[in-house]
Amino acid sequence: MKKILFLLMLIPFITLAQHHISGTFTPKEQFSKVFLYQVTPNYPSYISYASIKSDGTTSIPLESNLETGMYRLVFGAPQDEYYFDFIYNGNEDITFEYTATEGVTFLTSEENVLLQNYNANADEAKHLLSATFEPSVSKETFSNVFKAIDGIQNEYETKSEGMLANHFIKTGRLPIPQKQISLEEYLALEKANFFKHINFNDNALQHSNYLVNASKIYVFRFADKEQPQQYINNIEDVIKEIGDNPVVQKSILEALWYDFSDNENMKVANYISDNYLEKLATVAGDKKLLSEIKIYKNTGVGAKAPNFNIGNSKSLYDLKDANNYLVIFWSSTCSHCLKELPEVKKFLSNLENKNLQIVAFGLEENENPWKDTIKLYPDFIHVYGAGKWNNATSNAYNVTETPTYYVLDTDKNIIAKPDSLEELEAALQGLPTTK
């Protein structure tokens, strides 16, 4: 009877048997926690977390009710830098090593090791491509390089049949030219065949970063950055490939919008938002994205700077005496500002023939010590911004840290948004001189 009871007690544990993802982080003191997410067509969905032990090891259970697909481990900030994705097929434990210099290496898990090896071998073969198009390369060598690339592709597609990894591996197939051609001809061939093996309706691809990354590669690789219309044409190609799937459309176009807005390419960023993304965000109820789009339109390079009161019944737009304006958002309680503003003042004193006026907008919780600090900068126009981070003007300018700089032309159009003192100096040095 005792043996029967013991076996009955084991049944729940057998039924609920689960797998784990376990690994080691190096340097071991750099990270303290690891967070598990499921990758979805929208945003990663949080699952659980675990601590990273003092020896750098960690282990997270992969519960028996987890869906198969792509998952993500996040272990630092910012999240888009300290993470890696992995396949979970519901049948295997996964072990890994992560180093700050080399990234992640999977040690066990047939799915992940196979995909890892494919990527390494395919990348090594593709590195030969640039040299393959040199004029001195023989037809035989040209043909052999592409045979090697095709051979690796065939080998890993065969090895991965029936596996989740196969969904990703088969998308990597490159077009094989039938004769020796130039690099320009091959790029045209590659573009024409880029989406031939990519299925935007593939559920495994949708629940990963793959479709976003592939779309970015297509948009940027086959365009001249000096010709924004080429980016727009490529974006339209991607839209056609996606088809009528608003969730996938939004995830891809949102990623592209962030890239173009971060690079201050207002024409393309606004094309994406005006023609597609605002509507998609509205339908999805994504108020955060809608707010970011609105702020970018108001504060991107090329936009007219939002107006604000500067005191004495005047506004920024009322200023007429300078060719250019530098708006500085700062705070008298910000140690970084107190260190940087004297450097700005020193640099400005040596800046000749620029006809530049400075507007210093203080984000403050009370007027002291702001009143004392501004005495050090008598040539600036000083504006007191009550409420600090809750100030309407700083919110309109999307100020998330101090100091923040905006360089404006005489019509108050934004011409530069320097992120550092060095960038600020370069922007101001580049302003036209006055006679």
Side-chain angles (χ1 to χ4, degrees), residues 129 133 142 146 174-177 181-196 218 221-223 230 234 237:
L129 278 181
F133 294 99
F142 184 90
F146 279 99
L174 293 177
I176 307 299
I181 58 177
S182 68
L183 177 59
E184 291 74 18
E185 290 173 314
Y186 185 75
L187 285 173
L189 180 66
E190 186 182 8
K191 182 178 182 181
N193 289 273
F194 191 87
F195 294 114
K196 186 176 181 179
Y218 181 85
R221 178 182 293 172
F222 304 115
Q230 291 185 4
N234 290 349
D237 290 343

Side-chain angles (χ1 to χ4, degrees), residues 66-95:
L66 283 186
E67 299 176 6
T68 59
M70 191 70 75
Y71 287 80
R72 175 170 299 171
L73 284 186
V74 175
F75 41 89
Q79 290 190 17
D80 58 357
E81 181 177 346
Y82 293 102
Y83 80 92
F84 63 82
D85 291 348
F86 65 94
I87 295 172
Y88 178 56
N89 62 13
N91 298 318
E92 29 175 39
D93 290 322
I94 302 162
T95 60

Side-chain angles (χ1 to χ4, degrees), residues 111-127:
E111 293 266 10
N112 291 287
V113 170
L114 185 66
L115 184 57
Q116 172 180 270
N117 291 342
Y118 164 74
N119 287 331
N121 282 282
D123 287 347
E124 184 176 350
K126 290 172 185 176
H127 280 318

Side-chain angles (χ1 to χ4, degrees), residues 310-323:
I310 61 172
N312 298 321
S313 301
K314 289 186 176 182
S315 71
L316 175 69
Y317 288 2
D318 291 326
L319 298 176
K320 306 292 184 183
D321 298 332
N323 289 344

